[in-house]
Amino acid sequence: MAAAAVALASGCSAQAIGADGPGRTPAPAASAPAGSSDGGADGKGGQTPNGSSSEAPSAKETPAQPAAKVLMAKGTENEQVRELQARLGQLGYFDRNPTGFYGSMTAASVTAFQKKRQVPATGSVDEGTWQKLLGMTHQPSKAELNPPTTNKLDKPDARCMTGRVLCISKESRTLAWMIDGKVVSAMDVRFGSENTPTREGTFKVDFKSRDHVSTIYHTPMPYAMFFSRGQAVHYSSDFAARGYAGASHGCVNVRDKAKISALFDQVRTGDKVVVHW
């Protein structure tokens, strides 16, 4: 292996990703209809033909109703989302392990809950939706928030449906090894933290290293398959021990050593890698 390639592969570094939130345009205030006046001295109007006083009726302004404050929506990623997913799971609206990321599956689950409870089905969580959910569920346990069981695969990304692909979903936290649209094997995975996120996109396996050790963090990276400027799929003993209580430095961690060992033997240099939400 070339020295340059080893140096590149040992980083597991990542680039931060920012996001902008949607703005809201306030409703215009109601305008009063114009009244007529024939120039009364006190500015209150004129006289009618029969001598009675005439004043234009004043219009009552209706204050604009403020939009409900959104607590969580697509793109939100935090521990409250993890709690949301666990509570939705208690009611049968979310059948996956909590990830802490508010994606399309979470939005669909929230919409279904809102329709059932006859609140505006926005797919986002406002205070009203959140309070209804809190009232119908209990505080999730540690096991409910971070289940140790194998995660359920979501629908494969369209880019994963042809050829030999490591199809990696951040939303379901899974890796599916697929050949011509069929899942050969699947395993749980863990990603980088907020400060060292795992890059998303379409890549290829640049090279493999069965007994790799990071030259930056000096930690073992067995069965490493590098795909993006130092980021790799590899076995993690820390993931196996601590589960989702920890995070990588940008790599895709696998906790099942037997599964990634078998995967390492099947994957070839040049095979496609797709990392997606």
Side-chain angles (χ1 to χ4, degrees):
M1 178 188 307
V6 172
L8 175 65
S10 300
C12 254
S13 59
Q15 298 172 339
I17 299 172
D20 295 327
R24 184 161 61 244
T25 303
S31 57
S36 61
S37 171
D38 62 358
D42 62 2
K44 295 182 180 179
Q47 300 291 321
T48 61
N50 62 6
S52 62
S53 176
S54 173
E55 294 184 9
S58 60
K60 293 183 179 180
E61 292 189 358
T62 302
Q65 296 298 317
K69 181 181 178 181
V70 175
L71 304 179
M72 292 168 275
K74 275 189 177 182
T76 304
E77 184 174 16
N78 55 35
E79 289 306 302
Q80 189 178 23
V81 174
R82 186 183 301 279
E83 181 181 346
L84 166 70
Q85 293 166 333
R87 288 181 181 272
L88 287 170
Q90 292 172 13
L91 300 176
Y93 289 99
F94 193 78
D95 63 352
R96 301 175 186 277
N97 287 345
T99 64
F101 178 78
Y102 202 119
S104 57
M105 288 185 289
T106 303
S109 298
V110 169
T111 299
F113 172 79
Q114 290 171 327
K115 287 180 177 179
K116 181 70 173 180
R117 303 303 154 192
Q118 297 182 334
V119 297
T122 62
S124 300
V125 178
D126 58 18
E127 188 64 36
T129 299
W130 183 239
Q131 289 303 321
K132 277 188 176 292
L133 185 60
L134 291 181
M136 300 176 63
T137 55
H138 61 262
Q139 180 64 40
S141 66
K142 183 177 179 181
E144 287 177 307
L145 292 170
N146 293 282
T149 55
T150 300
N151 299 330
K152 180 180 177 181
L153 291 174
D154 58 3
K155 182 179 179 180
D157 186 275
R159 293 169 291 178
C160 300
M161 299 307 293
T162 56
R164 300 164 56 87
V165 191
L166 291 172
C167 191
I168 302 167
S169 169
K170 283 188 170 182
E171 186 161 6
S172 63
R173 296 191 296 193
T174 57
L175 181 157
W177 168 231
M178 302 181 65
I179 298 178
D180 296 331
K182 295 183 178 180
V183 176
V184 178
S185 64
M187 56 207 73
D188 297 348
V189 292
R190 185 178 72 172
F191 304 99
S193 66
E194 182 179 353
N195 295 324
T196 57
T198 304
R199 286 182 283 271
E200 298 150 29
T202 302
F203 312 93
K204 64 179 178 65
V205 176
D206 295 317
F207 69 97
K208 299 162 56 180
S209 179
R210 184 179 296 273
D211 299 307
H212 198 82
V213 176
S214 170
T215 57
I216 295 178
Y217 303 106
H218 308 293
T219 53
M221 298 169 58
Y223 308 109
M225 293 170 278
F226 292 90
F227 63 87
S228 175
R229 305 198 308 276
Q231 294 191 350
V233 175
H234 68 84
Y235 171 72
S236 168
S237 58
D238 181 75
F239 183 24
R242 294 200 298 151
Y244 292 103
S248 76
H249 291 99
C251 288
V252 178
N253 291 165
V254 177
R255 60 181 168 187
D256 190 316
K257 196 170 187 178
K259 283 188 175 182
I260 193 169
S261 174
L263 178 66
F264 185 88
D265 291 336
Q266 296 173 52
V267 172
R268 306 168 186 164
T269 299
D271 283 347
K272 187 162 57 174
V273 180
V274 176
V275 182
H276 66 94
W277 278 110

